Amino acid sequence: MAGDPSLSATEKAVYELEKSGADIIEIGIPFSDSVADGPVIVNAAQKAIKRGVSAKGCIKLVSKLRKKIKTPIVFMTSFNIPFSYGIEKFLKDCSKAGVDGLILPDLPFEEAKAVSSSAKKHGIDLIFLIAPNTPDGRAKKLASLSRGFVYLISLTGVTGARKSLSLGIGENVRRIKRYSDKPVAVGFGISTPEQAKQAARHADGIIVGSAIVKKISEKKAVGNFVSSLKRAICTC
Amino acid sequence: MRYDQPDQHGYFGEFGGSFVPETLVPCVQELKQAYYASRHDKKFKKELAHYLKNFAGRPTALYFAEKLSREYGFRIYLKREDLCHTGAHKINNCIGQILLAKRMGKKRIIAETGAGQHGVATATVAALFGLKCVVYMGSDDIKRQALNVFRMNLLGAEVRAVDAGSKTLKEAVNEAMRDWMANVRDTFYIIGSCIGPHPYPVMVRDFQSVIGREAKYQINIAEGKLPHTVLACVGGGSNSIGMFYPFIEDEKVGLIGVEAGGKGIRSGMHSAAIAGGRPGVLHGSLSCVMQTRDGQISSTHSVSAGLDYPGVGPEHSYLNKTGRVKYAVVDDKEAVRAFHLLSEKEGIIPALESSHAIAYLKKLRGRLSNKDVVVVCLSGRGDKDLDIVRDFLNTKPRVN
């Protein structure tokens, strides 16, 4: 989450994430009322907003990061943030700053026309999510629309750590693979190397959010944790 | 002119739509199908009519407020939704939605509540149909509406406190949506206002439009004509849209929605999304939203917990844009004065929400003739607000 505990802490964390082997770095732009998020990300967002962190500040942060890192950067936020910023301007500014992709969890593809076309124009991958309860026809459509990779939600519920990994990830990955050859990354509820390992058996990538946000928020180093995740999923 | 909003995607002009996480997409689609299959179904309509009549106590009276009329110089009628079972219009919508939940085979009901009226109405229908019920309520609202929390407990509902953000209605909706995401299969979310993703705004409007239909029929009998003006308070906007909808095509009838001005629009401490907001996406639909320059949702204030919400139903944003409905603002003080006025003049203690609509009558003084008819939606009763009003004025019970 950008700006929790501070934008400079976020900046430092990103360097650490790259060094520890993250393949893609997702940066959250805080939104006051993100319904898809659990307590960890909600609290981090609240704290960042209190510090005055805005979309503008997050875009500026990426321009700065881009000078030093090569890892793809993806923004994740609620739709009201780019909507309020101005959709076309948001994507243009993101592109200029060096943002590679965008995830808007509360924007179903039916409502995404304006964002899709601006994203395409400015060379930003708009990544769609597929949920375990997404019907086949819809999942197929989402997989075909999604750019870069397909984000598979591991469970029905909000973001945040869970004691155990949801069953059925394997089946859901296989179902997406049947109609798409894009990489599938699994997220929501993955917080330990063991869970990462289990999920990575099926998927091309795993996405860890809350567990990392929590560490950064508590001013702890994330490097070792991310290296351990990376080791757990490495088949080599 | 024929009025046929929304379109099939839930858009009222540019407002509305369905902005929900992918996990909820199948849920709102299932709901949409169930609702559109039921709304003209004879059996469903019969069942709905039965419970509205025999359980909720409809039709509610349209009462001629004689002394208030004399005071202001035009003919004032009150649509007495405060006489509904549970004390407010909220029950109309809850009966409709729970009948739908039953049809869909859902076992668990969740709801959000601000003033507690929607929570009580939901807990009531859940008890009626023997379904498990969880109500989310901001922790500040739990404090200021303690009586309603106890009522929900008595009805067998579990009330979950929401401690985040401004600790009021907005956060309660967030938590209810998160619960729904985690329990998509067996849970039905009864939203209490004409907000949320499609089909909620149209569904809530349809269930609440019994208010306007009755009022239109009753005023025709009482006065032999349509009203000059119809007034209702607007938070999310369910009682007002229910009241206005049957009058929309009667273009000579003035429709006025009254938003909560709190401590004044300039102070920023208010809940008037149309007067003080701009288009944005909150809780699943695109509508007027109070927000900062950066797109963060603003915290709100109103003396009335039921209006204390930064958004408004998308249909209201549309009706504001087309100009068919005028939106006005009444502040805390004016609302509390109206609360007293109606209590003293007519022997009716109104909810603080409804007091906003009553307060607007004063602004019509001198602008109407003594033959003009104004219908006010008295959306709920004020028993729940006694502590707030007492604290607001710092008054003690008088005994002589």
Side-chain angles (χ1 to χ4, degrees):
Chain A
M1 179 60 62
D4 176 44
S6 65
L7 279 174
S8 63
T10 308
E11 185 188 346
K12 248 176 64 195
V14 169
Y15 298 140
E16 217 182 324
L17 290 172
E18 182 178 65
K19 239 188 270 160
S20 325
D23 299 297
I24 297 172
I25 295 167
E26 193 183 300
I27 298 177
I29 303 176
F31 177 59
S32 53
D33 294 86
S34 163
V35 293
D37 281 314
V40 169
I41 293 184
V42 168
N43 287 338
Q46 294 293 351
K47 277 169 29 201
I49 291 165
K50 264 198 196 133
R51 300 182 62 94
V53 174
S54 64
K56 217 173 180 177
C58 296
I59 292 170
K60 224 162 128 192
L61 171 69
V62 174
S63 329
K64 200 166 169 197
L65 289 166
R66 261 294 156 249
K67 293 188 184 124
K68 296 194 187 166
I69 70 162
K70 293 223 160 54
T71 311
I73 292 174
V74 169
F75 268 154
M76 180 153 171
T77 191
S78 294
F79 178 55
N80 198 52
I81 295 296
F83 183 78
S84 163
Y85 194 99
I87 291 170
E88 169 65 19
K89 185 172 183 322
F90 179 80
L91 284 146
K92 191 176 155 197
D93 290 356
C94 282
S95 171
K96 251 200 267 168
V99 175
D100 300 278
L102 178 63
I103 305 173
L104 299 169
D106 63 339
L107 188 71
F109 76 82
E110 291 91 338
E111 305 283 2
K113 274 188 204 113
V115 178
S116 286
S117 68
S118 288
K120 214 170 183 182
K121 185 170 152 197
H122 296 291
I124 287 184
D125 287 332
L126 185 61
I127 298 145
F128 285 100
L129 296 89
I130 295 178
N133 59 336
T134 305
D136 271 332
R138 186 178 176 85
K140 193 172 173 180
K141 174 97 183 164
L142 286 164
S144 81
L145 289 172
S146 197
R147 300 279 154 219
F149 65 91
V150 178
Y151 192 136
L152 174 66
I153 305 170
S154 79
L155 45 81
T156 53
V158 294
T159 58
R162 304 290 198 280
K163 274 198 195 104
S164 60
L165 211 56
S166 138
L167 302 165
I169 290 180
E171 197 187 309
N172 270 311
V173 173
R174 279 194 295 279
R175 135 175 120 117
I176 296 167
K177 290 282 181 190
R178 271 203 297 276
Y179 25 73
S180 168
D181 50 14
K182 285 172 194 153
V184 177
V186 182
F188 282 47
I190 300 173
S191 63
T192 67
E194 293 73 45
Q195 289 172 336
K197 190 173 181 176
Q198 272 178 48
R201 256 183 229 138
H202 312 286
D204 304 302
I206 56 132
I207 302 164
V208 179
S210 297
I212 291 175
V213 168
K214 190 164 177 230
K215 281 203 174 4
I216 299 173
S217 182
E218 291 166 354
K219 299 182 182 168
K220 289 179 185 155
V222 285
N224 287 341
F225 175 59
V226 173
S227 305
S228 71
L229 291 171
K230 185 80 181 178
R231 273 197 305 277
I233 64 169
C234 247
T235 43
C236 46
Chain B
M1 207 174 63
R2 235 181 83 76
Y3 182 80
D4 56 1
Q5 302 292 333
D7 70 10
Q8 54 167 330
H9 305 295
Y11 274 90
F12 304 85
E14 71 200 77
F15 301 106
S18 182
F19 298 83
V20 291
E22 201 53 41
T23 312
L24 288 182
V25 168
C27 307
V28 293
Q29 285 183 346
E30 182 193 10
L31 177 63
K32 192 169 113 185
Q33 274 166 12
Y35 177 60
Y36 280 98
S38 305
R39 69 194 299 210
H40 299 301
D41 178 70
K42 266 195 191 143
K43 208 179 136 212
F44 183 80
K45 280 163 75 173
K46 209 175 140 189
E47 229 183 337
L48 180 61
H50 164 76
Y51 285 104
L52 286 178
K53 176 170 184 260
N54 300 303
F55 188 70
R58 302 206 71 89
T60 58
L62 184 72
Y63 177 71
F64 178 61
E66 203 181 327
K67 280 193 269 175
L68 211 58
S69 299
R70 220 178 296 142
E71 168 107 5
Y72 287 131
F74 46 87
R75 299 179 68 74
I76 299 167
Y77 284 82
L78 305 175
K79 181 58 177 160
R80 298 289 308 275
E81 292 302 297
D82 61 315
L83 297 178
C84 282
H85 179 38
T86 72
H89 70 290
K90 294 291 185 191
I91 192 84
N92 305 328
N93 168 49
C94 288
I95 290 174
Q97 288 200 43
I98 204 154
L99 288 175
L100 208 54
K102 230 178 48 157
R103 283 196 150 204
M104 293 166 71
K106 301 291 180 186
K107 302 276 181 265
R108 180 175 173 268
I109 299 295
I110 56 170
E112 84 293 340
T113 198
Q117 289 303 105
H118 175 60
V120 167
T122 305
T124 300
V125 295
L128 175 67
F129 289 104
L131 297 178
K132 193 174 164 3
C133 178
V134 174
V135 179
Y136 290 90
M137 191 168 183
S139 52
D140 272 9
D141 286 340
I142 285 180
K143 267 184 241 151
R144 57 178 168 171
Q145 304 282 354
L147 191 64
N148 273 341
V149 177
F150 188 55
R151 286 169 83 194
M152 287 183 266
N153 293 153
L154 284 175
L155 293 159
E158 182 193 338
V159 179
R160 290 190 189 161
V162 183
D163 221 7
S166 63
K167 304 174 187 182
T168 55
L169 184 53
K170 168 174 76 98
E171 286 71 25
V173 177
N174 288 343
E175 264 336 284
M177 286 201 163
R178 288 174 188 137
D179 179 312
W180 197 20
M181 278 183 78
N183 301 287
V184 286
R185 283 170 188 94
D186 71 336
T187 295
F188 188 103
Y189 178 17
I190 300 189
I191 296 188
S193 196
C194 52
I195 59 160
H198 181 54
Y200 281 104
V202 60
M203 179 170 73
V204 174
R205 175 197 77 193
D206 290 350
F207 287 142
Q208 290 295 2
S209 60
V210 66
I211 304 173
R213 276 200 309 277
E214 283 179 12
K216 198 170 170 178
Y217 175 79
Q218 290 164 319
I219 201 68
N220 244 317
I221 288 178
E223 293 280 341
K225 62 176 180 185
L226 287 171
H228 178 282
T229 297
V230 175
L231 284 175
C233 65
V234 181
S238 71
N239 89 85
S240 48
I241 202 68
M243 187 65 167
F244 295 160
Y245 182 59
F247 290 101
I248 287 180
E249 291 181 1
D250 303 303
E251 284 171 44
K252 287 201 174 130
V253 178
L255 304 174
I256 301 177
V258 184
E259 293 193 290
K263 296 185 176 170
I265 297 291
R266 276 204 205 140
S267 73
M269 295 181 69
H270 62 87
S271 309
I274 290 177
R278 62 186 168 91
V281 172
L282 175 67
H283 297 148
S285 54
L286 171 54
S287 189
C288 289
V289 181
M290 289 171 55
Q291 54 189 314
T292 65
R293 211 186 45 202
D294 299 330
Q296 307 297 349
I297 309 304
S298 312
S299 54
T300 53
H301 165 82
S302 169
V303 68
S304 126
L307 302 181
D308 202 347
Y309 181 71
V312 65
E315 192 163 12
H316 285 292
S317 293
Y318 172 73
L319 292 168
N320 175 57
K321 184 139 195 192
T322 63
R324 178 61 189 97
V325 179
K326 300 271 174 260
Y327 292 84
V329 170
V330 154
D331 68 24
D332 284 353
K333 280 186 190 155
E334 294 170 305
V336 172
R337 271 202 291 274
F339 178 95
H340 283 276
L341 181 76
L342 197 69
S343 304
E344 286 164 20
K345 289 267 176 205
E346 300 289 346
I348 298 168
I349 300 177
L352 278 172
E353 291 77 17
S354 326
S355 301
H356 284 74
I358 301 289
Y360 192 78
L361 288 167
K362 198 173 172 181
K363 308 192 180 196
L364 292 174
R365 177 149 53 187
R367 288 161 55 188
L368 304 185
S369 86
N370 61 4
K371 294 210 174 61
D372 286 332
V373 172
V374 176
V375 174
V376 187
C377 187
L378 193 65
S379 55
R381 55 190 286 166
D383 307 50
K384 67 183 177 62
D385 295 320
L386 299 183
D387 284 344
I388 300 171
V389 172
R390 201 179 48 202
D391 291 350
F392 191 86
L393 296 173
N394 205 7
T395 50
K396 294 194 172 65
R398 286 186 304 250
V399 184
N400 290 332

